[in-house]
Amino acid sequence: MLSIGALAKATGVKVPTIRYYEQQGLIAPPVRSEGNQRRYEPAARERLSFIRHARDLGLPLEAIRELLELSETPEMPCVDAHRIAGAHLGEVRARIARLRKLEAELERITSACDADTVGDCHVIHALADHSLCDSEH
Amino acid sequence: MLSIGALAKATGVKVPTIRYYEQQGLIAPPVRSEGNQRRYEPAARERLSFIRHARDLGLPLEAIRELLELSETPEMPCVDAHRIAGAHLGEVRARIARLRKLEAELERITSACDADTVGDCHVIHALADHSLCDSEH
DNA sequence: CTTGAACCTCTAGTCGCTAGAGCATTTAGG
DNA sequence: CCTAAATGCTCTAGCGACTAGAGGTTCAAG
């Protein structure tokens, strides 16, 4: 049986975050000690590691909740798990595409200024005037 | 003099967002009509467009606040503006780098599964077991 | 048995809005 | 001039995923 601190250390998830996950129903409320402190069975470590890893990959808690439910019934077909992961991959790609546009625009804006004062600064002007932009955003 | 709705239409910033910006001190409280409605001078359009554009580029409101303050004193040197934009560019690049790692990992995970059921599903297993990953994240 | 670290609950704050309730005002048509 | 619709007002709460802090209790080592 692990204390919440030991579980935190074992999984890399912070103590308040574990309590938050419990409150959100992602992990079951564990048994308590006589003094009302949480005591986790070793299996809790795996579930929490799963959550942590999925979070590291950027999955929202709602998607993780679905994946956890799926993983509890191993005989279910796993197309749903693929759908969730695939949808997330799509979102990640969309975010990358958008950020690359921003990167290009910021690069252009910041490199085009050789002024000394704010009055002539290209950065300030480019922000004030959208028509100076290369692409839509 | 523009109503808040007209200002919203002219800048593409939604009405509640304009009020929010006022509350946050990014735009000055405008004069009011007899019936207590906001009435904006044409100059407000430019300031709001500036904010909108900077937001589109992903700058946080705090950075925008600084840039707005800078732009009010045109004789100031503009190195600060460059610093702000440059820092943001750095953050954008960092986010891109991180997302690309996630993309690669998700790609690997989702393409490596040819199972039918959750019990054998590579997606589920890869999430449960970090050691199956290629890189750190 | 004492002490200090770890634990408990609860509330509020982060960011940048967005939604909704319950009213008041403005504006265009008749 | 009157009415109805559109627009405006303030205030509060909610989103996601935590994080911080207050104020108190329990545990484990020495």
Side-chain angles (χ1 to χ4, degrees), chain A residues 74 76-78 93 107 116 118-119, chain B residues 74 76-78 93 107 116 118-119:
Chain A
M76 288 264 294
C78 66
R93 285 185 174 142
E107 220 161 33
D116 291 327
V118 165
Chain B
M76 287 264 292
C78 67
R93 285 186 174 140
E107 221 161 31
D116 291 327
V118 166

Side-chain angles (χ1 to χ4, degrees), chain A residues 71-89:
Chain A
S71 72
E72 273 157 22
T73 51
E75 68 279 11
M76 288 264 294
C78 66
V79 282
D80 280 351
H82 292 194
R83 190 183 41 73
I84 293 169
H88 184 60
L89 178 54

Side-chain angles (χ1 to χ4, degrees), chain A residues 46 49-59 67-68 70-79 81-82 85-86 88-89 92-93 95-96 98-107 109-110 113-131 133 137, chain B residues 46 49-59 67-68 70-79 81-82 85-86 88-89 92-93 95-96 98-107 109-110 113-131 133 137:
Chain A
E46 281 154 47
S49 294
F50 183 104
I51 297 173
R52 159 113 157 108
H53 194 186
R55 281 296 300 141
D56 281 348
L57 289 172
L59 287 154
L67 287 170
L68 282 167
L70 281 177
S71 72
E72 273 157 22
T73 51
E75 68 279 11
M76 288 264 294
C78 66
V79 282
H82 292 194
H88 184 60
L89 178 54
V92 167
R93 285 185 174 142
R95 289 225 295 275
I96 290 174
R98 185 173 148 68
L99 284 172
R100 288 172 74 87
K101 273 193 195 169
L102 297 187
E103 183 191 18
E105 200 61 52
L106 282 168
E107 220 161 33
I109 287 174
T110 54
C113 179
D114 52 1
D116 291 327
T117 63
V118 165
D120 306 321
C121 177
H122 184 78
V123 173
I124 299 279
H125 282 148
L127 286 172
D129 187 356
H130 192 128
S131 70
C133 284
H137 43 242
Chain B
E46 280 154 48
S49 294
F50 183 105
I51 297 173
R52 160 115 156 106
H53 193 186
R55 281 296 299 140
D56 281 349
L57 288 171
L59 287 154
L67 287 170
L68 282 167
L70 281 179
S71 71
E72 273 156 21
T73 51
E75 68 279 11
M76 287 264 292
C78 67
V79 282
H82 292 194
H88 184 60
L89 178 55
V92 167
R93 285 186 174 140
R95 289 225 296 273
I96 289 173
R98 185 173 147 70
L99 283 172
R100 288 173 73 88
K101 272 193 195 168
L102 296 188
E103 183 191 18
E105 200 61 52
L106 281 168
E107 221 161 31
I109 286 174
T110 53
C113 179
D114 52 1
D116 291 327
T117 63
V118 166
D120 306 323
C121 178
H122 184 77
V123 173
I124 300 279
H125 282 147
L127 286 171
D129 186 357
H130 192 127
S131 69
C133 283
H137 42 243

